[in-house]
């Protein structure tokens, strides 16, 4: 797929588990129940907090680039027509067919294309956090992502395609038939050329027709030679491979080609008389069948069509995501010490830094429906946290994140414009990729009715700048054998993103009970549902997550029990 596609969706597991990573659970003196969103707390000193969560997300729509309107997830693939922009092997075929058929212009098309995509992702996140001091913690998150994209493609259902896959590419009889057409044109042209020479200055009655209009006869010789070359160039023959595509039987362009051959035959007959076999041009080139699903997949995969991609079909990818490591420092803490009752009012402030390693897999440039397991480039993220405590039952957090995405080198297919669905193999270039910086603002109110449960909500706004690309060759040889200019900057067009997401969650916690020696194990279990409800250039995803965390003392006194 293009780099911009699903970028927000790939990030989705990471923001949720960043909450599990760098500052969700806290010492007992913080809050009775924390809930599944990031806040300004850290793990208690000497405690290892280990968590595992499983998230399931789904999307079959997206918010369109720039406009933000909802559209199908496969909008970049769906086309009213598959022409030379979509399938570059069609380039040059239109002028060839115009010359062959005698039509003024031939806008070639394989027909329309309907595509339905649905993406599901299963993300398992393992989070480890160690409280180094009462206000400083380090941690890491290891995501494992399984992406699945289900694809349903329906080419040429409207039957508007006027060209299809050339049968001569694999059928010997078709090549022989096309070669016969070329041979007949050549033989008729040669016969007329010989008669022109024989009849020059002759009064023989058999030369009357030719001598009466030698200019037309000479033009016919030239035209027949050109048409013979065009038949070989488009349809192929026993010595010329021909075009990957030829006119579909029964379409206006195919009828025009046959009409042109019939007209030439009549002209030869008028000048030369009847052929020994009855017709000078008795054969017709082999036309194509309308494009079918198997033909469409072959166009995408067969190197002879220039794309050399993978089928537009279901694709599944399982791999590590972008592993993150980081640290967090509490600047202001209203707590009163281990084992004490939670403070009822106050303000907590913290800062954090996180570094993502490029451990994920990018989507493959030759697999157009593929979704990677992350950005696969290093990122530095800075965060600021504010917790507002307003009584024993209510508290809220605000988080601001700023991401600095660092450049990487990747092999991508440089397109001419956003949404170019099936870029050809010649466009593959090594480019410098630098994803746009991003800013996130998150608000999370929480209601804690008792020591064991909390109900929470979340709103998050995210804005990402456009990506930039460079470091590539300025041109490459296209399907017509001429240099095609390439501008990697086009890969960044339409990659700016914006999203609005809300979430709700419920948490059961034994932390307070463990501190009061009413529970044997300190742990938290959360059930979360999130939904992306607005944005630009991002899938409309919804996700359900189950998260489990437990605590284990590694050194020092037990801060969860005050000793």
């Amino acid at each position: 797929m293009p780099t911009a596609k699903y970028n927000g969706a790939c990030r989705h597991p990471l923001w949720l588990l960043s909450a599990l990573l760098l500052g969700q659970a806290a010492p007992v003196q913080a809050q009775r129940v924390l809930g599944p969103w990031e806040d300004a707390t850290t793990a208690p000193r000497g405690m290892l907090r280990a968590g595992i969560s499983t998230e399931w997300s789904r999307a079959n729509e997206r918010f369109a680039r720039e406009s933000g309107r909802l559209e199908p997830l496969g909008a970049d693939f769906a086309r009213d027509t598959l022409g030379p922009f979509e399938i570059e092997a069609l380039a040059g075929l239109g002028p060839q067919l115009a010359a062959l058929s005698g039509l003024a212009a031939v806008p070639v098309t394989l027909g329309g294309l309907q595509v339905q995509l649905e993406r599901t992702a299963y993300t398992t996140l393992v989070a480890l956090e160690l409280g180094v001091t009462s206000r400083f913690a380090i941690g890491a998150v290891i995501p494992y992502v399984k992406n699945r994209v289900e694809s349903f493609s329906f080419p040429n259902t409207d039957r508007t395609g006027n060209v299809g896959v050339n049968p001569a590419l694999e059928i010997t009889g078709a090549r022989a038939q096309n070669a016969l057409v070329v041979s007949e044109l050549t033989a008729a042209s040669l016969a007329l050329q010989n008669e022109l020479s024989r009849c020059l200055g002759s009064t023989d009655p058999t030369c009357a027709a030719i001598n009466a209009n030698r200019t037309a006869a000479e033009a016919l010789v030239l035209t027949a030679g050109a048409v013979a070359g065009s038949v070989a160039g488009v349809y192929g023959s026993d010595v010329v491979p021909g075009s990957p595509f030829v006119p579909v039987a029964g379409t206006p362009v195919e009828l025009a080609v046959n009409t042109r051959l019939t007209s030439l035959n009549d002209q030869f007959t008028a000048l030369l008389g009847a052929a020994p076999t009855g017709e000078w041009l008795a054969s017709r080139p082999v036309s194509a069948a309308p494009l079918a699903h198997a033909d469409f997949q072959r166009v995408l995969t067969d190197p002879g069509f220039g794309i050399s991609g993978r089928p537009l079909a279901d694709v599944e990818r399982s791999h590590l995501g972008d592993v993150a490591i980081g640290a967090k420092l509490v600047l202001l803490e209203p707590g009163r010490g281990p084992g004490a009752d939670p403070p009822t009012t106050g303000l907590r402030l913290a800062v954090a830094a996180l570094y993502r390693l490029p451990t994920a897999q990018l989507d493959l440039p030759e697999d157009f429906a593929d979704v990677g397991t992350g950005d696969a480039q290093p990122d530095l993220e800075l965060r600021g946290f504010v917790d507002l405590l307003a009584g024993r039952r209510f508290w809220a957090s605000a988080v601001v994140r700023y991401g600095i995405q660092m450049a990487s080198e990747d092999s991508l297919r440089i397109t001419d414009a956003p949404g170019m669905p099936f870029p050809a193999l010649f466009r593959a270039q090594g480019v410098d990729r630098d994803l746009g910086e991003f800013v996130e603002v998150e608000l999370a109110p929480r209601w804690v009715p008792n020591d064991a449960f909390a109900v929470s909500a979340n709103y998050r706004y995210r804005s990402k700048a456009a990506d930039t690309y460079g470091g590539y060759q300025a041109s490459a040889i296209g399907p017509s054998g001429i240099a095609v200019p390439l501008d990697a900057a086009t890969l960044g067009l339409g990659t700016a993103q914006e999203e609005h997401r809300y979430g709700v969650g419920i948490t059961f916690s034994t932390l307070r009970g463990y501190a009061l020696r009413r529970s044997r194990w300190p742990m938290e279990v959360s059930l979360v549902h999130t939904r992306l409800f607005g944005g630009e250039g991002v899938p409309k995803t919804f996700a359900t997550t189950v998260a489990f965390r437990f605590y284990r003392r590694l050194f020092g006194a037990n801060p969860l029990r005050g000793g």
Side-chain angles (χ1 to χ4, degrees):
M1 289 189 166
T3 304
K5 67 186 179 188
Y6 309 120
N7 195 37
C10 293
R11 283 276 186 200
H12 179 70
L14 292 181
W15 77 261
L16 179 58
L17 207 62
S18 295
L20 297 178
L21 161 67
L22 290 178
Q24 287 199 64
V28 172
Q29 69 268 23
Q31 268 33 79
R32 292 176 290 171
V33 185
L34 290 174
W37 317 111
E38 278 202 287
D39 54 54
T41 64
T42 59
R45 179 181 180 275
M47 297 295 294
L48 174 67
R49 177 172 61 202
I52 184 170
S53 72
T54 299
E55 177 193 81
W56 175 81
S57 65
R58 174 181 175 272
N60 60 11
E61 293 181 297
R62 74 178 186 185
F63 295 97
R65 306 179 187 93
E66 298 180 357
S67 69
R69 293 191 301 268
L70 273 178
E71 61 184 13
L73 195 59
D76 282 344
F77 301 111
R79 288 291 191 273
D80 292 333
T81 180
L82 289 172
F85 176 78
E86 292 78 16
I87 307 295
E88 293 181 88
L90 290 169
L93 181 59
Q96 285 180 295
L97 288 177
L100 177 57
S101 65
L103 298 174
V106 179
V108 294
T109 174
L110 293 170
L113 177 64
Q114 300 177 25
V115 176
Q116 298 173 7
L117 292 183
E118 181 172 302
R119 180 204 175 224
T120 55
Y122 300 88
T123 304
T124 300
L125 297 162
V126 176
L128 302 173
E129 183 180 3
L130 175 64
V132 179
T133 71
S134 60
R135 294 193 177 192
F136 179 73
I138 57 175
V141 171
I142 306 170
Y144 191 84
V145 182
K146 179 180 179 179
N147 283 322
R148 178 174 175 81
V149 178
E150 295 180 83
S151 173
F152 306 91
S153 55
F154 308 94
N156 198 31
T157 55
D158 52 4
R159 295 300 183 184
T160 59
N162 61 2
V163 295
V165 174
N166 188 351
L169 295 178
E170 57 184 359
I171 301 176
T172 303
R175 292 194 293 273
Q177 175 72 13
N178 298 335
L180 183 58
V181 176
V182 175
S183 176
E184 290 176 347
L185 281 163
T186 302
S189 179
L190 180 59
L192 182 55
Q193 182 65 57
N194 290 336
E195 285 299 288
L196 281 167
S197 298
R198 182 182 72 83
C199 292
L200 181 62
S202 175
T203 59
D204 189 324
T206 59
C207 295
I210 293 177
N211 287 334
N213 197 348
R214 293 186 65 87
T215 301
E218 292 169 350
L220 180 58
V221 170
L222 295 176
T223 299
V227 170
S230 294
V231 169
V234 172
Y235 289 90
S237 68
D238 51 351
V239 293
V240 179
S243 166
F245 304 101
V246 296
V248 170
T251 57
V253 62
E254 191 260 356
L255 295 176
V257 170
N258 290 341
T259 299
R260 182 81 181 282
L261 292 173
T262 299
S263 174
L264 291 175
N265 178 74
D266 293 342
Q267 293 177 58
F268 278 116
T269 302
L271 293 170
L272 297 173
T277 57
E279 299 288 346
W280 290 102
L281 306 177
S283 304
R284 298 293 180 266
V286 179
S287 300
L291 188 78
H293 186 268
D295 298 322
F296 171 65
Q297 300 290 16
R298 180 184 175 190
V299 169
L300 296 183
T301 58
D302 189 328
F305 295 88
I307 297 176
S308 294
R310 295 190 177 186
L312 192 60
D314 295 354
V315 58
E316 191 170 288
R317 175 78 71 87
S318 297
H319 196 265
L320 279 175
D322 291 312
V323 174
I325 57 175
K328 187 174 185 179
L329 176 66
V330 176
L331 303 177
L332 178 64
E333 171 62 69
R336 295 175 302 216
D341 290 334
T344 58
T345 60
L347 197 67
R348 182 183 299 113
L349 302 176
V351 293
L354 180 146
Y355 184 77
R356 285 192 185 88
L357 304 171
T359 53
Q361 283 186 340
L362 276 179
D363 52 303
L364 299 174
E366 65 271 19
D367 196 329
F368 307 110
D370 183 26
V371 177
T373 62
D375 288 341
Q377 70 170 33
D379 297 345
L380 176 63
E381 188 172 317
L382 305 177
R383 301 177 177 182
F385 307 84
V386 178
D387 290 348
L388 175 63
L389 285 60
R392 294 179 58 83
R393 298 186 182 276
F394 179 83
W395 65 293
S397 298
V399 183
V400 177
R401 306 179 185 91
Y402 180 73
I404 303 170
Q405 309 206 71
M406 303 177 187
S408 62
E409 295 183 3
D410 300 287
S411 178
L412 300 174
R413 298 190 180 190
I414 299 175
T415 56
D416 289 336
M420 192 174 185
F422 310 115
L425 178 61
F426 79 87
R427 294 179 172 274
Q429 299 280 334
V431 300
D432 296 330
R433 177 178 66 114
D434 189 1
L435 301 186
E437 321 294 27
F438 65 87
V439 175
E440 296 179 355
V441 178
E442 182 177 305
L443 302 174
R446 301 165 174 87
W447 179 58
V448 187
N450 55 45
D451 286 345
F453 287 95
V455 178
S456 55
N458 177 272
Y459 166 76
R460 189 187 69 165
Y461 169 77
R462 184 175 191 268
S463 176
K464 184 186 77 69
D467 308 334
T468 57
Y469 295 84
Y472 59 95
Q473 295 182 13
S475 65
I477 302 301
S480 300
I482 61 174
V484 176
L486 300 177
D487 185 358
T490 60
L491 293 173
L493 298 176
T495 56
Q497 295 177 343
E498 185 176 282
E499 65 180 59
H500 301 269
R501 189 186 305 268
Y502 75 83
V504 292
I506 184 170
T507 301
F508 170 74
S509 172
T510 65
L511 293 183
R512 181 65 175 161
Y514 179 79
L516 298 176
R517 289 175 165 75
R518 292 191 293 225
S519 297
R520 184 174 182 181
W521 306 106
M523 66 177 185
E524 299 167 295
V525 180
S526 294
L527 176 65
V528 179
H529 177 79
T530 58
R531 183 180 293 266
L532 198 151
F533 65 91
E536 296 177 4
V538 290
K540 182 186 178 183
T541 59
F542 67 85
T544 299
T545 304
V546 176
F548 173 75
R549 289 189 302 231
F550 66 93
Y551 297 75
R552 182 174 182 83
R553 179 168 59 90
L554 296 185
F555 61 86
N558 189 340
L560 296 182
R561 283 184 167 171

